[in-house]
């Protein structure tokens, strides 16, 4: 066994690795023979908890400070963004249309002009129609609306395209509306 260790360590003790493969070879040899001295160019070795020596790249104080500063700045940016959105007064609508199969053409004939006019309104941030992909409700559509404020939504509901086309949609589909607003959960508990 002593000869095997000497044979294994003899070539490595005299020849410094010249590439990554040589460094890896030396690290493997050090794993099996911890008495081998580390290569002169290698980073200080540490144990990985299983008595194996692993190379650890040196990290300078400046690099650690830079990472810490970047994390601090990003945390502040995300906090400010959340606070701005949490108190901005936006209103969200989740409108479900269960369209009767025989009325699908009439439904879209009324929805297209409503969509075109609504997206042009100044307070409209989002007006997007979606459909379930799993096929469980083939004639059910969901409209996601985002309005800048409750006043913008109220103004939308008084405009001619709304008062003209929404009654037509109601004859072609069963409509369910869910209205939500942003809540600043950091300020106070939400009463449900």
């Amino acid at each position: 066994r002593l000869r095997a260790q000497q044979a294994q360590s003899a070539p490595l003790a005299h020849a410094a690795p010249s590439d990554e493969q040589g460094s890896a070879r030396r690290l493997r040899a050090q794993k099996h023979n911890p008495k081998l001295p580390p290569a002169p160019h290698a980073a200080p070795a540490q144990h990985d908890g299983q008595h194996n020596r692993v190379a650890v790249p040196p990290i300078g104080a400046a690099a650690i400070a830079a990472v810490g500063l970047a994390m601090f700045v990003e945390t502040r940016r995300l906090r400010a963004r959340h606070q701005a959105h949490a108190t901005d007064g936006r209103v969200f609508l989740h409108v479900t249309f269960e369209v009767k199969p025989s009325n699908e053409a009439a439904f879209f004939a009324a929805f297209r002009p409503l969509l075109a006019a609504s997206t042009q309104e100044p307070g409209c941030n989002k007006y997007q129609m979606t459909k379930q992909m799993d096929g469980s409700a083939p004639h059910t559509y969901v409209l996601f609306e985002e309005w800048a404020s409750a006043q913008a939504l109220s103004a939308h509901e008084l405009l001619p395209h709304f008062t003209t086309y929404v009654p037509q949609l109601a004859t072609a589909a069963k409509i369910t509306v869910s209205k939500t607003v942003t809540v600043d959960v950091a300020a106070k508990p939400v009463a449900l």
Side-chain angles (χ1 to χ4, degrees):
R1 182 177 175 166
L2 182 61
R3 282 188 193 158
Q5 285 180 346
Q6 288 173 345
Q8 200 175 28
S9 64
L12 291 174
H14 300 294
S18 59
D19 59 358
E20 288 182 24
Q21 186 178 15
S23 297
R25 215 176 311 127
R26 181 157 186 86
L27 285 174
R28 280 194 303 277
Q30 284 177 342
K31 176 181 173 183
H32 297 293
N33 188 359
K35 293 180 182 177
L36 280 177
H41 65 281
Q46 292 184 356
H47 293 280
D48 65 358
Q50 299 175 352
H51 306 291
N52 298 321
R53 296 177 80 188
V54 293
V56 177
I59 299 175
I64 293 171
V67 169
L69 179 63
M71 290 174 62
F72 174 77
V73 169
E74 182 65 7
T75 302
R76 296 286 298 219
R77 185 188 70 80
L78 290 174
R79 232 181 239 151
R81 180 176 174 214
H82 169 73
Q83 190 65 25
H85 282 176
T87 58
D88 65 0
R90 292 178 294 161
V91 178
F92 302 89
L93 266 65
H94 180 262
V95 185
T96 304
F97 299 97
E98 294 176 37
V99 182
K100 300 168 190 146
S102 59
N103 293 340
E104 203 157 299
F107 171 78
F108 282 107
F111 183 75
R112 283 186 191 101
L114 177 65
L115 173 68
S118 297
T119 55
Q120 299 303 312
E121 294 179 43
C124 181
N125 296 339
K126 180 184 262 187
Y127 208 85
Q128 181 178 17
M129 176 72 76
T130 62
K131 182 178 181 179
Q132 280 188 291
M133 292 184 61
D134 64 3
S136 62
H139 300 286
T140 299
Y141 300 90
V142 179
L143 174 64
F144 293 103
E145 298 180 41
E146 180 184 330
W147 296 90
S149 64
Q151 294 81 9
L153 177 59
S154 296
H156 163 70
E157 293 171 347
L158 298 174
L159 293 173
H161 58 269
F162 185 90
T163 58
T164 302
Y165 295 113
V166 170
Q168 292 177 20
L169 294 174
T171 61
K174 177 184 173 197
I175 302 174
T176 307
V177 179
S178 174
K179 184 194 282 187
T180 60
V181 296
T182 55
V183 175
D184 184 3
V185 295
K188 58 184 173 184
V190 179
L192 298 176

